[in-house]
Amino acid sequence: MASVLIIEDEDIIRNALTRLLERHDYSVASAPSVEEAGDAHDLTSFDVIIADLRLPGASGMEVMRLAPGVATIIMTSYASVRSAVEAMKCGALDYIAKPFDNDELLLAVRRAVKEGRLERQNAALKADLSRDYPVAGIIGDCVPMKRVFERIAKVAPTDTSVLILGESGTGKELVARALHERSRRADGPMIAVNCAAIPDSLIEAELFGHEKGAFTGAVGMRQGLVEAAHGGTLFLDEIGELPLPAQARLLRVLQEGEIRRVGASVSRRVDVRLIAATHRDLGQLVADGAFRDDLYFRINVMEICLPALRERGDDIVDLARYLLERTYKRLKSPPLRFSQETVRCLTRYPWPGNVRELENAIERAVILADSAVITPELMALPDRQDQPREPGRRTAPDLSLEDYFRQFVLEHQDSATETELARRLGISRKALWEKRQRLGIPRPRQRSVDA
């Protein structure tokens, strides 16, 4: 039963409201003033407070300061736009003018009860999440992940630019969201942009906006993604793919706090915090002339390095169990668990696609599972425990990411299609093709046409 406190100095109205709400199964307490209500009750214990604006002593507005977080409805005989705006600014959920309609009041109370409970549930869920998983749901207890958590805790409250480094699929966007949610900008927008997914010819217009007629096809003015992040956080994933002209514009945003839309003659002020991420060696790109050194120094104020999944020890099993539970719930499947053999294979497999590959493998296994147990076969995991080491072949810890990729593709390309290979690696078919070209890994003749 929801509890309501009525603070009203007119006995007739207070008693009528009490009877009305009790008839609709609310638990009701009342008082003629804010002072008496505070003396008699714990104001924060109610689901809803209905307070008259004009009361003897403290105004009804004062109750919102004394009971923060409690849904408050302000009512008055002196309704005006100004007082309504003032009440809403102070945090009132609703504003009702006397004489009020009973149905209108009951509707406002029901809405207040519902929203108040949702807020409390949300706060409880966030508290549970923070307790179980220290940073925005990111799971990890190994030493490298503890260093990541410590770095996030230190840099998140600042406006410092952050560069997140790590292989593809390690969860760089999760770290960026954790930084945003723990910053002073958490109530502002977070705009995430994958620089590799936007064609070079369009990226400046997408990031910085354009004026009507700035180029062929610009039939109207358009706000850019940087401008959309005003007051919040701009996350540029794969910043190493940003073309040099766009890098120059981004540098101006960081140095001067302003942007100029494509085709515009006037600059606009913007207030954004930049978080960038890449799996590439930006220092080498600077040396090669593919990345501006002044921009590199601007974004590389604070680095957060994410370890590859193969370097995280027992975290792999904990993360896999978390992802399994989340996946079977999302897919509305019965509860599932890993077999002991699967757990052993999880820790021995090198995971070249990192967390993204693990997540894809688990989703496929959940879809294919006919029993409550996930086997290595369902996840397409090789059992490497008894496999002899081939002469001249390096073990997992000795391999670079590109060597892992090459070894994985060569081992599985005869038994898997390009689509299956890409899915198991946690990348797109286009990315698989591009890596094949760059590393010189030809496709086998019998699979030159992939069904």
Side-chain angles (χ1 to χ4, degrees), residues 416-429:
T417 66
E418 292 295 282
T419 300
E420 291 167 343
L421 277 175
R423 186 182 300 115
R424 289 170 65 177
L425 287 166
I427 59 179
S428 67
R429 279 189 52 151

Side-chain angles (χ1 to χ4, degrees), residues 3 21 42 177 182 199 242 317 326 342 367 387 422 435 442:
S3 58
L21 293 171
D42 176 6
R177 293 195 178 278
R182 290 176 167 242
L242 203 62
V317 178
R326 190 180 72 176
T342 304
I367 294 172
Q387 290 183 358
K435 283 194 173 186

Side-chain angles (χ1 to χ4, degrees), residues 280-291:
R280 303 185 66 180
D281 183 347
L282 290 186
Q284 185 59 50
L285 290 179
V286 170
D288 295 340
F291 201 87

Side-chain angles (χ1 to χ4, degrees), residues 18-237:
T18 299
R19 290 193 299 271
L20 173 66
L21 293 171
E22 286 179 341
R23 284 201 307 270
H24 287 81
D25 299 324
Y26 291 100
S27 171
V28 184
S30 63
S33 69
V34 174
E35 289 82 0
E36 291 183 55
D39 291 340
H41 307 283
D42 176 6
L43 300 183
T44 61
S45 66
F46 292 93
D47 293 302
V48 182
I49 297 176
I50 304 173
D52 193 10
L53 181 61
R54 297 192 177 186
L55 293 167
S59 162
M61 298 282 201
E62 181 69 10
V63 76
M64 288 179 282
R65 185 184 66 81
L66 299 174
V70 178
T72 302
I73 300 172
I74 295 294
M75 59 181 180
T76 181
S77 302
Y78 306 93
S80 71
V81 174
R82 182 175 180 179
S83 57
V85 170
E86 184 182 356
M88 303 304 274
K89 281 184 176 179
C90 289
L93 181 65
D94 214 334
Y95 181 94
I96 295 179
K98 299 182 206 175
F100 48 79
D101 178 78
N102 286 352
D103 290 337
E104 180 187 3
L105 180 73
L106 290 170
L107 181 63
V109 172
R110 280 196 294 271
R111 185 166 70 90
V113 169
K114 182 178 180 180
E115 292 197 11
R117 286 178 175 172
L118 285 174
E119 285 186 8
R120 288 193 294 275
Q121 288 171 3
N122 189 38
L125 287 171
K126 285 184 176 180
D128 290 343
L129 187 63
S130 297
R131 183 179 65 250
D132 295 338
Y133 308 119
V135 180
I138 304 174
I139 297 172
D141 196 43
C142 63
V143 173
M145 287 306 296
K146 286 181 177 178
R147 286 198 292 265
V148 169
F149 296 150
E150 290 170 1
R151 187 64 62 91
I152 290 173
K154 288 182 178 179
V155 74
T158 73
D159 272 345
T160 299
S161 297
V162 180
L163 179 61
I164 305 170
L165 302 175
E167 296 176 4
S168 294
T170 48
K172 295 187 286 293
E173 185 167 347
L174 277 179
V175 173
R177 293 195 178 278
L179 289 166
H180 173 72
E181 290 168 7
R182 290 176 167 242
S183 73
R184 295 188 294 268
R185 298 171 177 265
D187 292 333
M190 175 177 166
I191 304 297
V193 184
N194 186 338
C195 299
I198 304 174
D200 289 358
S201 58
L202 298 178
I203 196 161
E204 287 188 67
E206 287 290 320
L207 286 177
F208 307 104
H210 61 75
E211 297 294 328
K212 181 178 180 180
F215 51 84
T216 303
V219 296
M221 183 276 293
R222 181 174 179 179
Q223 183 187 60
L225 296 172
V226 175
E227 208 172 336
H230 179 72
T233 302
L234 177 67
F235 173 53
L236 295 182
D237 196 7

